[in-house]
Amino acid sequence: MSSDVKNGRVETCKDSEAVAQHVADFLTEKALAKTDGPFVIALSGGSTPKRLYEILADSKHAARFPWDRVQLFFGDERFVPVDDESNNYRMTNLALLSHVDVPPANVHRMPTDGDPADAARRYERELKTVYGADALEPGRPLFDVVLLGLGENGHTASLFPDTDVLKETEAWVGTCVPHDAPHTRLTLTYKAIASSRYVLFLVAGASKAEVVKLVRAGDEKQPASHITTEGELVWMLDEKAAGHGG
Ligand code: 6PG
C-alpha cells in the first residue's frame, strides 16, 4: 500500500497526553511484532513527541520495548551544539535515551559540527550503512516509523516553506535555512520519509486545527502536504487539532 496526507487514516484522541500515550503503545506493539530485523524509527522534535519519549521511558513501556533491536534516527535537527536547549537530540536524551537500555551504537544523532551540507552527507552515509544499500528499494522501507510534527506554517520535520530542500529529489538528507524560524537545520527529505512502513503525524492543540485542515485537503503551499509513504500514513490528532470542540 502507499498513502499520503489526504487519504491517511485519522485517529483522534482526547488531548495531547492521550495522543502521546496512544503513540507509545503503537510504537511498542509494532517494535515487538518486528522480529526479522532492526526496528528503525525517525524521531521528531516538538512538544507532543517529548511527552511520548517520557512515556516510553516509564517502567511499563521501557520494560517491554526491544531496545536492543531498535535503530533511532532523527527526522530533523537544528544546527546548534548538542548542549543547546533547542537541540532535538538533547531533548530526546533527557526525556528518553538516558533512562533506557538502548545500545549507544543504535542511536544516530544528526551531526551539528562543521559545514551543514557536509553534515547532511555524513548523516546520509550513516542511514545508508544501516539500510545496507546506497539506493532505496521499493518494498524495502528505510524506516519502520517516521514521527512527524506539524508547524502552524505548514512545515514538518525541517521542510520549511519556500526553501530549496523542498525541491530535493535525490538526497536523503538536506539542509534548510527557514525564512520564518531560527537556525539552519538538517532534515530528512521527502524521498527518505517516503521510504517507510508508517508515517505518523503527531499534532495537538487548537492552534493547529487550521493547518491540519489545509494539509489534509492537500493544499500545495503547505510543505507537509507533499509527505507520502510507501506504507501507511496516520494522523494522530487530539480533539482540538482535529477541529472538534476547539
Ligand atoms: C522540531 C520538529 C518540528 C515540529 C513542529 C511542531 O524539531 O521542532 O521537528 O517539525 O514537529 O514545529 O512542533 P510542536 O509539536 O511542538 O508544535
Side-chain angles (χ1 to χ4, degrees):
M1 96 185 284
S2 66
S3 67
D4 63 22
V5 292
K6 288 196 278 192
N7 61 27
R9 191 171 84 233
V10 183
E11 298 194 3
T12 308
C13 301
K14 187 170 175 298
D15 52 22
S16 61
E17 174 67 20
V19 172
Q21 292 280 354
H22 180 55
V23 176
D25 292 342
F26 180 98
L27 286 178
T28 306
E29 295 314 320
K30 296 292 176 203
L32 287 169
K34 185 166 181 201
T35 50
D36 60 348
F39 190 73
V40 186
I41 309 178
L43 301 169
S44 168
S47 43
T48 306
K50 176 168 185 253
R51 184 63 194 129
L52 160 67
Y53 304 152
E54 290 167 355
I55 294 167
L56 283 174
D58 74 22
S59 50
K60 178 180 145 214
H61 290 91
R64 291 185 69 215
F65 202 91
W67 296 109
D68 54 331
R69 286 195 284 108
V70 79
Q71 294 283 343
L72 298 175
F73 287 91
F74 285 77
D76 73 324
E77 186 59 277
R78 293 167 188 82
F79 208 74
V80 295
V82 68
D83 58 355
D84 188 291
E85 293 225 340
S86 62
N87 184 280
N88 281 339
Y89 171 81
R90 177 182 183 275
M91 177 277 278
T92 309
N93 189 43
L94 289 174
L96 173 64
L97 305 173
S98 59
H99 305 287
V100 297
D101 284 334
V102 58
N106 297 12
V107 179
H108 308 272
R109 146 175 124 68
M110 281 183 158
T112 59
D113 61 307
D115 168 62
D118 176 63
R121 281 191 294 272
R122 277 185 274 148
Y123 202 61
E124 181 165 320
R125 168 64 35 218
E126 202 161 329
L127 278 163
K128 287 178 173 172
T129 300
V130 168
Y131 186 63
D134 282 350
L136 294 169
E137 296 161 21
R140 190 170 80 80
L142 172 59
F143 299 111
D144 289 286
V145 178
V146 178
L147 300 175
L148 293 175
L150 179 65
E152 283 165 46
N153 64 356
H155 84 267
T156 189
S158 279
L159 298 163
F160 277 81
D162 304 316
T163 58
D164 288 346
V165 71
L166 304 186
K167 294 182 230 138
E168 177 59 59
T169 56
E170 288 308 315
W172 300 9
V173 184
T175 63
C176 178
V177 184
H179 302 291
D180 51 356
H183 307 302
T184 294
R185 322 284 182 105
L186 299 191
T187 185
L188 295 180
T189 58
Y190 290 128
K191 175 180 175 150
I193 292 169
S195 182
S196 48
R197 279 180 220 284
Y198 289 96
V199 165
L200 307 185
F201 272 98
L202 278 60
V203 196
S207 67
K208 302 285 176 74
E210 188 56 33
V211 69
V212 167
K213 207 162 115 189
L214 288 171
V215 174
R216 289 199 53 223
D219 176 14
E220 295 203 347
K221 290 197 289 296
Q222 315 299 321
S225 297
H226 304 276
I227 294 290
T228 61
T229 170
E230 68 173 73
E232 199 175 338
L233 188 146
V234 189
W235 288 95
M236 301 283 193
L237 305 178
D238 76 346
E239 286 183 357
K240 288 181 176 161
H244 311 153

